[in-house]
Amino acid sequence: MDLQTRKLNFIQDFLKLESEKAISHLEKLLHKESQTNSELKAMTMKEFQKRIDQSTEDSKNNRLTENSKLMSEIEKWS
C-alpha cells in the first residue's frame, strides 16, 4: 500500500473516532512529530564519530538502560 492510500485510510479511521482521549493522543503525537521534523539537521562526520565513541564508552562502562526500563519511561511521557 502506498503512502497516499495509507494517509487516506488513516483519515477515514480518524474521522470515525469518538474518543476524546484518543484524539488528544494523536494530536500530541502529530505536534511532536512535526516539531521533530523541523528541528532535524544533519550531523557532521566528526559529530557522528564522537557519538559512536561515546556510545562505545558508555557500553564498556555499563552505562546502559535496559529495553524494558526504557519502555516504562516512555509510557510515562504521555
Side-chain angles (χ1 to χ4, degrees), residues 6-19:
R6 289 175 57 203
K7 287 179 181 180
L8 291 172
N9 288 339
F10 180 83
I11 291 168
Q12 289 173 341
D13 291 341
F14 180 80
L15 291 172
K16 294 175 190 174
L17 281 176
E18 297 294 330
S19 168

Side-chain angles (χ1 to χ4, degrees), residues 26-40:
L26 289 169
E27 286 173 330
K28 287 178 187 176
L29 179 64
L30 182 61
H31 181 66
K32 186 181 282 187
E33 186 68 24
S34 62
Q35 282 182 331
T36 301
N37 286 340
S38 65
E39 295 172 0
L40 292 178

Side-chain angles (χ1 to χ4, degrees), residues 34-56:
S34 62
Q35 282 182 331
T36 301
N37 286 340
S38 65
E39 295 172 0
L40 292 178
K41 64 174 189 161
M43 280 188 264
T44 64
M45 284 304 292
K46 186 176 180 177
E47 291 169 325
F48 184 61
Q49 188 62 47
K50 185 177 178 181
R51 284 192 181 195
I52 292 171
D53 292 343
Q54 182 63 55
S55 296
T56 303

